[in-house]
Amino acid sequence: MSESVDRAVNAMKEQIDAPIASYFSSCVHCGICADACLFYTETGDPQYTPIHKLDLMKRVWEREYTFAGRIKKWLGLSRNITENDLTKWETLVYDSCTLCGRCSLYCPVGNDIVTMVRKMREAMAASGHAPEGLQQASKRAIEIGSPMGVTLKTLEAQIKHAEKEAGMEVPLDKQGVDYLMLLSSAEIAQFNEIIPAVTRIFHEAGVSWTLSSEAFEGTNSGIQIGSSDIAAELIQRIVDGAQKLKVKYVISPECGHAYTALRWEGPNLIGKPYPFEVVHIIELLDQLRTQGKLKLEGKDETRQTFHDPCQMVRRGGVMEQPRNLMNMVATDFVEMTEHSLMGWCCGGGGGVSANERAEPLRRKVFSKKREQLEEIGVERIVTACSNCRNMLEEGLEDNNMDEIEVVGLSEWLAEYLVTSSPRAAGDDS
Amino acid sequence: MSSLELLTWARGPALQAALVIFIIGMLIRVLEILLLGRKTDLTRARAGQMGPGLRTIFSRSLPVSGTWKQHLSGYLWHIGFIVVLLFYAPHIQLFKQGFNIAWPALPTSLIDIITIVTMAALVFSLSLRFTDPVRRMLSTVGDYFSWLVTFLPVATGYMAFHNVGPDYTLVLALHIMSVNLLLVVFPFTKLSHAITFLFSRWYNGANAGRKGVRV
């Protein structure tokens, strides 16, 4: 066995616990998970069957952790994993899985397949079988502090811009406030309208908040590549930043994997519970709505829909909140046929968008979203994940459907905000 | 060995040995899972996991929207197999002899129809393994073997019921031997999902439940 195969096998062994053993024990090879995965439905290629992506891990589990497998191993009948296997499965695990988790809802015996893929990526990353794009992103995240190479200087420039636009101060490094707001790389670099939008919303709702110069980046490429070590370091930076400012809550931005990393993996990665609570920006906005602190005015008659970011909705449990918020102003809000829990991924989540090699496949499988959108004929898609937003914009352009507008939910809501101070209102000119 | 001697052996010592292997084997199978344990989740749960976990054990029996066709043959043979096993009068007799419990049987004519449907569904499931690209790719020797040891008790039972073959006693003995074979290999093949699905569904449902995702 080569050293990298050894590392892969050891990493798999570390990842296999009781749930994983129960999943592999229960799989009957029925293939129903294939119908849940857009990489299969849009290509018809059986290799994209979700459970097949776990074949190597299944081999390790069988050989090391089952009675029958041990006997087979003892008799010399086990199939060893080779370097070639790892190379082949690299594309299955990274290029054709967005970790969207739809397959985990389809499996009749209840196998949480996406959890296994996430764990399988640990083995692939440990053995050096991760895509170049994700390796570079992780390196930048550790060295520069952001996978897209966004620095504090960039953020400071955006803050200045936002202050001008919102007509009010954007708090930075303010101690003792309730909320620390994180941003995703894409929000700082591309979709920066989010900063004036939340500044205005929080101002009107009386939320005490701040950004941090040490912990502003929510994107976690460690989760996507499958390196708990990298993911833990990025989480620790946020925890340190939050503790320094003594906040009670940390707000996860409109970024799917940032939320998963921070909310559902973080404490396990660093090995201790947080001294603060994590709240998704959409969750917080919905709380403000129920408290009557989010005051919106005007009705929007545009025919529009909501695209469910997988990590926020299906894997994160923030499902009703975006709909509650949209219904505050939208009069013609239509759901895609399969939505919420059963929503289809944009095709670029889970690090697929950062993986150049996967681009042709990713663009191909956008046909699922195209089909869904054609069916309902909308003029606008609202979403709450900057990566989804990017993928949707690109996909619509590819399919000559760019007359459909794509917007982030928070900034879209800010357009309808009832503004009390004349200073805050003067931003639309 | 005469047919009668084979029958006596098959439903006597052979069945007892098969049951012991089945029970110990399944115990090993369950321990293989549970002994691996899982780390305490340090994240703040949004909701409890017990309720959603238990609910998923049942709710996952229903197909998600639009997939009932893929489930149909599976439903037919699973239900058929269980109904014939539990509600065929001679089977109930066996339970009465072994455990001194009995319950009303279904009419044999109905059992006959259910057996035919069960066999047809099993044959259809097998044909999918050969024809459907996804299932063909996923299928292993173990899948075909598991199919065979499941099909044999149904087929031999049907033969015994209809007196097919020259010697009823021999066919009955083969029927019981096929059941013994099923019991022996059960824990060491994917057939063990009949028990382990309780765990996999629970873990999946519990994990989603603590995140507040209703699956």
Side-chain angles (χ1 to χ4, degrees), chain A residues 13 15 37 75 82 95 128 130 223 241 248 273 292 343:
Chain A
K13 282 164 77 174
Q15 294 297 323
C37 178
L75 292 171
T82 64
D95 302 23
I223 293 287
K248 295 179 196 143

Side-chain angles (χ1 to χ4, degrees), chain B residues 58-94:
Chain B
F58 298 98
S59 65
R60 201 50 77 90
S61 297
L62 301 170
V64 286
S65 57
T67 62
W68 64 269
K69 274 188 210 158
Q70 291 94 313
H71 286 265
L72 192 63
S73 61
Y75 272 126
L76 285 176
W77 88 255
H78 274 90
I79 294 169
F81 192 95
I82 293 165
V83 167
V84 175
L85 171 70
L86 295 182
F87 295 100
Y88 179 46
H91 292 164
I92 297 173
Q93 264 321 104
L94 276 179

Side-chain angles (χ1 to χ4, degrees), chain A residues 120-140:
Chain A
M120 180 70 190
R121 285 190 181 183
E122 290 279 338
M124 301 307 267
S127 65
H129 282 273
E132 180 69 20
L134 278 175
Q135 287 189 27
Q136 292 302 331
S138 305
K139 195 165 173 255
R140 279 192 298 271

Side-chain angles (χ1 to χ4, degrees), chain A residues 60-309:
Chain A
V60 171
W61 160 78
E62 207 161 25
R63 193 179 61 195
E64 305 294 335
Y65 301 110
T66 71
F67 180 68
R70 292 227 165 178
I71 291 176
K72 264 168 88 178
K73 183 183 175 186
W74 183 69
L75 292 171
L77 296 171
S78 307
R79 248 190 331 150
N80 284 329
I81 290 171
T82 64
E83 199 67 42
N84 279 345
D85 287 333
L86 291 175
T87 307
K88 185 177 170 212
W89 260 266
E90 182 187 321
T91 53
L92 295 182
V93 171
Y94 287 107
D95 302 23
S96 60
C97 177
T98 59
L99 303 179
C100 87
R102 218 169 168 271
C103 49
S104 296
L105 296 179
Y106 264 58
C107 177
V109 292
N111 290 353
D112 191 354
I113 302 172
V114 66
T115 293
M116 294 196 270
V117 176
R118 161 72 184 86
K119 286 175 174 258
M120 180 70 190
R121 285 190 181 183
E122 290 279 338
M124 301 307 267
S127 65
H129 282 273
E132 180 69 20
L134 278 175
Q135 287 189 27
Q136 292 302 331
S138 305
K139 195 165 173 255
R140 279 192 298 271
I142 291 293
E143 287 169 5
I144 306 171
S146 150
M148 281 171 73
V150 170
T151 60
L152 178 61
K153 259 194 167 166
T154 327
L155 176 69
E156 282 169 344
Q158 298 294 15
I159 287 176
K160 263 192 193 153
H161 179 75
E163 284 180 334
K164 211 173 141 203
E165 201 175 317
M168 60 186 77
E169 187 202 348
V170 176
L172 181 68
D173 295 329
K174 214 167 151 185
Q175 279 230 353
V177 293
D178 289 340
Y179 292 89
L180 165 65
M181 172 87 192
L182 301 180
L183 296 161
S184 71
S185 287
E187 284 178 330
I188 301 168
Q190 254 173 299
F191 304 123
N192 45 51
E193 355 21 311
I194 188 75
I195 308 174
V198 295
T199 305
R200 291 176 55 220
I201 293 173
F202 290 163
H203 172 80
E204 295 302 332
V207 171
S208 75
W209 73 293
T210 186
L211 288 168
S212 158
S213 57
E214 286 171 27
F216 56 84
E217 174 65 85
T219 320
N220 194 315
S221 45
I223 293 287
Q224 296 175 334
I225 197 170
S227 167
S228 288
D229 292 343
I230 296 174
E233 165 141 10
L234 300 177
I235 289 292
Q236 191 60 53
R237 288 177 190 173
I238 294 170
V239 173
D240 292 344
Q243 277 187 298
K244 209 165 166 182
L245 297 171
K246 301 186 178 64
V247 294
K248 295 179 196 143
Y249 303 92
V250 172
I251 306 170
S252 169
E254 286 193 12
C255 168
H257 269 89
Y259 183 58
T260 283
L262 189 66
R263 179 70 173 90
W264 301 115
E265 291 209 27
N268 298 326
L269 290 164
I270 61 170
K272 55 177 187 262
Y274 293 148
F276 50 79
E277 266 186 60
V278 175
V279 58
H280 192 281
I281 177 72
I282 299 304
E283 222 179 346
L284 175 59
L285 294 181
D286 194 48
Q287 281 169 18
L288 297 175
R289 178 191 66 85
T290 52
Q291 292 161 1
K293 291 179 182 166
L294 179 68
K295 293 195 184 76
L296 306 180
E297 66 181 351
K299 291 287 168 197
D300 188 323
E301 289 167 7
T302 314
R303 190 168 169 82
Q304 54 198 316
T305 191
F306 182 72
H307 163 81
D308 294 283

Side-chain angles (χ1 to χ4, degrees), chain A residues 311-361:
Chain A
Q311 299 302 316
M312 166 184 152
V313 178
R314 180 164 42 236
R315 301 296 291 170
V318 185
M319 184 165 3
E320 293 308 320
Q321 293 90 330
R323 291 167 167 86
N324 295 339
L325 292 166
M326 279 194 75
N327 282 325
M328 287 179 83
V329 279
T331 56
D332 196 6
F333 168 44
V334 278
E335 293 280 16
M336 286 178 253
T337 310
E338 290 180 285
H339 58 88
S340 306
L341 206 55
M342 287 297 165
W344 288 95
C345 176
C346 63
V352 172
S353 62
N355 175 1
E356 273 176 40
R357 185 182 61 199
E359 201 179 311
L361 182 62

Side-chain angles (χ1 to χ4, degrees), chain B residues 90-213:
Chain B
H91 292 164
I92 297 173
Q93 264 321 104
L94 276 179
F95 285 108
K96 187 150 195 220
Q97 281 169 22
F99 308 101
N100 202 25
I101 41 167
W103 51 88
L106 285 174
T108 45
S109 53
L110 183 61
I111 292 288
D112 193 30
I113 295 168
I114 297 173
T115 310
I116 293 171
V117 172
T118 304
M119 285 194 292
L122 272 167
V123 170
F124 180 72
S125 295
L126 179 67
S127 74
L128 282 182
R129 292 221 171 267
F130 290 111
T131 53
D132 177 66
V134 169
R135 286 171 205 188
R136 197 169 57 223
M137 179 197 66
L138 291 178
S139 298
T140 62
V141 178
D143 290 316
Y144 296 109
F145 180 65
S146 299
W147 182 89
L148 184 69
V149 296
T150 309
F151 186 74
L152 283 178
V154 190
T156 53
Y158 184 77
M159 284 164 71
F161 178 70
H162 285 279
N163 264 326
V164 179
D167 182 354
Y168 171 76
T169 314
L170 179 64
V171 176
L172 190 61
L174 290 176
H175 174 59
I176 295 170
M177 284 305 291
S178 70
V179 173
N180 293 344
L181 177 66
L182 178 68
L183 287 170
V184 168
V185 303
F186 205 96
F188 310 106
T189 58
K190 68 166 184 181
L191 297 171
S192 62
H193 79 277
I195 301 290
T196 60
F197 86 97
L198 296 169
F199 297 94
S200 49
R201 283 186 183 177
W202 190 85
Y203 283 128
N204 190 342
N207 182 37
R210 76 188 305 285
K211 290 179 174 181
V213 181

